[in-house]
Amino acid sequence: MASKAIATPKVEKRWTLEEWLKLPEGPPFYELEDGRLIVMPSPRLEHQEVVGMLYFVLDRWVEEHDLGTVVMAVDVALPTGRGYIPDLTFIRRDREGELIGKDGKIHGAPDLVVEVVSPGTKVRDRYKKMQGYFEAGVEWVWLIDSEDLTAEEFHRTDEGYLRTAAAGPDDVFEPKALPGLKINLSELLGKPAKKSGQRKRSK
């Protein structure tokens, strides 16, 4: 069967959240920020390995404790008009009906978002997107470095995000958002984290 060509969205125009939600499935994938489409770079192998392992651990933990739903790379339409695609999103059981739409996307501020940071996305993930999550009312954010495997957790306060947990590459990450959960990424992935001097440039 012949493939059907899909028109590329005009990234220079001003986009609404409703228009963003109706974009065809990627690739390419886009996020929406201040009315502009942001083209998402293709992920690297290390990034996907970390995301996959974290999803496995979180999904199993949440299911065992009947806490809610974990989804991977699903559109999140924030109440501020921004549209992000976090690597992982967690929604508590009592908010599933409120936030998970019939379209399979998230409409509102999730309880937790996880961004696996790569060299090419680090600045935007840590500053621009963190600001976007804060303004939208996202309570918890995790930033996981895909290269050195460090992990940080941030909790929303009136003054801004407060770091509530952190772990080095060989340490156990014990997030406050999910009490009792313990994650050692180096151990789970079965390989040592890259040292700063071993990093390679990426897009």
Side-chain angles (χ1 to χ4, degrees):
M1 183 174 65
S3 60
K4 183 179 180 180
I6 299 176
T8 302
K10 296 180 179 180
V11 297
E12 68 273 9
K13 67 163 277 189
R14 299 287 294 184
W15 288 77
T16 66
L17 193 59
E18 291 71 24
E19 290 174 324
W20 175 74
L21 286 168
K22 293 177 181 177
L23 285 173
E25 291 188 17
F29 296 96
Y30 302 89
E31 291 189 326
L32 179 67
E33 204 166 66
D34 302 326
R36 298 184 303 113
L37 290 185
I38 308 295
V39 182
M40 304 302 294
S42 298
R44 300 176 63 189
L45 174 62
E46 295 93 336
H47 177 278
Q48 296 301 77
E49 288 178 337
V50 174
V51 172
M53 183 56 68
L54 281 173
Y55 176 78
F56 172 77
V57 171
L58 284 178
D59 186 61
R60 183 174 61 178
W61 177 268
V62 165
E63 183 175 351
E64 287 178 354
H65 295 82
D66 192 29
L67 298 177
T69 298
V70 178
V71 294
M72 183 190 303
V74 168
D75 290 354
V76 175
L78 295 170
T80 51
R82 296 187 183 192
Y84 287 152
I85 312 175
D87 291 303
L88 299 173
T89 304
F90 167 64
I91 299 169
R92 298 193 182 279
R93 183 74 69 215
D94 60 350
R95 302 185 70 219
E96 290 174 341
E98 172 191 350
L99 297 184
I100 302 177
K102 294 181 179 180
D103 58 0
K105 301 181 180 184
I106 310 302
H107 298 260
D111 295 285
L112 164 71
V113 297
V114 180
E115 294 286 359
V116 176
V117 179
S118 298
T121 66
K122 181 171 293 187
V123 173
R124 182 166 176 264
D125 285 343
R126 183 169 288 275
Y127 298 103
K128 192 70 173 179
K129 291 185 73 172
M130 284 284 282
Q131 178 186 354
Y133 288 135
F134 177 79
E135 292 175 353
V138 177
E139 186 176 4
W140 298 92
V141 178
W142 294 359
L143 296 180
I144 314 295
D145 192 298
S146 63
E147 290 204 318
D148 63 21
L149 302 185
T150 55
E152 297 174 279
E153 176 188 66
F154 298 88
H155 184 225
R156 192 178 188 279
T157 71
D158 291 340
E159 291 74 32
Y161 278 118
L162 174 68
R163 192 170 74 169
T164 51
D170 298 312
D171 299 328
V172 176
F173 181 51
E174 300 185 55
K176 302 294 189 296
L178 299 171
L181 176 64
K182 298 181 180 181
I183 303 173
N184 185 319
L185 281 173
S186 296
E187 185 176 281
L188 289 170
L189 291 167
K191 58 185 179 182
K194 291 183 180 181
K195 305 300 181 182
S196 59
Q198 294 178 304
R199 296 186 176 186
K200 297 179 180 180
R201 295 183 61 189
S202 71
K203 297 181 180 178

